[in-house]
Amino acid sequence: MGREQMRSRARRLISVANELLAMAHELELKEGEPQSDREPIAIPKDSHVWAEVARNAYRDRRRRSDIFADAALFGEPAWDIMLDLFIAAKERKRLPVTSACIGAAVPATTALRWLTVLEEKGLIVREADATDARRVFVRLSSDGYEKMVAYFSNVAGDLQSDEDIVQRSLKIAR
């Protein structure tokens, strides 16, 4: 399979993923309050590049704490958790709660409190492990994922092609 054919398939998969994301979001809304007074949500363009941009943002946050030698000075555990979960979603990995706590770079009790806040806000979902009752996984909800994509889309600006996204993302990541 040629490179252009692979790109074409990748674009189609991204498009299908966006459609599925929108449907999942609609289903979550229907479970809660009526959506008659809600405005339709425009799904921003998703890109495989956002995982690398998120990974770089996460590394930059760690680097900043290391250089200033005070992790508490720049503490934003909710954002660290969201970045970690977004990266995991893009890599199709499941993240246990314990790993999310470690990724937040704060004491476990603080991270657990932020996980609860993010869950109450509908940005993350906890899921029990079907094979091990002691383990619980955490992931972005469809709304949380959409908002992360919207954030990275917004940061990158309105781009016309995947090549534009890659170029702009590399600039953002630096």
Side-chain angles (χ1 to χ4, degrees):
M1 183 179 306
R3 187 168 196 197
E4 191 54 42
Q5 221 176 6
M6 292 282 280
R7 281 180 174 245
S8 176
R9 281 190 174 180
R11 284 188 197 109
R12 281 197 318 253
L13 284 172
I14 288 170
S15 174
V16 169
N18 281 335
E19 288 179 41
L20 289 172
L21 189 58
M23 286 189 286
H25 183 67
E26 287 174 20
L27 289 172
E28 284 183 352
L29 288 177
K30 286 180 183 176
E31 288 178 4
E33 57 205 57
Q35 69 181 75
S36 59
D37 59 342
R38 293 179 182 259
E39 292 182 25
I41 296 172
I43 305 296
K45 183 171 183 169
D46 198 352
S47 173
H48 63 282
V49 177
W50 299 151
E52 189 57 34
V53 175
R55 200 175 289 106
N56 286 332
Y58 185 84
R59 273 189 294 243
D60 286 345
R61 293 179 55 68
R62 299 287 76 74
R63 186 177 308 123
R64 191 174 57 181
S65 295
D66 291 344
I67 289 172
F68 286 90
D70 187 355
L73 190 60
F74 300 108
E76 262 190 296
W79 184 239
D80 288 335
I81 290 168
M82 296 290 288
L83 286 170
D84 203 12
L85 292 175
F86 184 69
I87 293 164
K90 294 302 260 175
E91 294 175 347
R92 304 225 186 287
K93 293 182 180 175
R94 297 180 78 190
L95 200 66
V97 167
T98 52
S99 295
C101 288
I102 291 167
V106 292
T109 53
T110 302
L112 288 169
R113 188 169 58 249
W114 277 107
L115 284 171
T116 300
V117 169
L118 292 170
E119 186 176 28
E120 288 170 354
K121 300 255 182 216
L123 297 171
I124 68 165
V125 176
R126 294 180 204 236
E127 298 173 329
D129 185 344
T131 61
D132 185 349
R134 298 168 294 176
R135 185 167 48 184
V136 175
F137 291 104
V138 64
R139 66 172 176 81
L140 291 174
S141 66
S142 63
D143 188 42
Y145 184 84
E146 281 178 18
K147 287 180 178 176
M148 292 300 284
V149 168
Y151 170 79
F152 288 114
S153 270
N154 190 288
V155 167
D158 296 327
L159 304 172
Q160 301 302 315
S161 69
D162 288 344
E163 289 77 20
D164 291 340
I165 291 172
V166 170
Q167 293 303 314
R168 179 65 188 256
S169 298
L170 291 174
K171 287 179 186 175
I172 293 167
R174 289 184 186 137

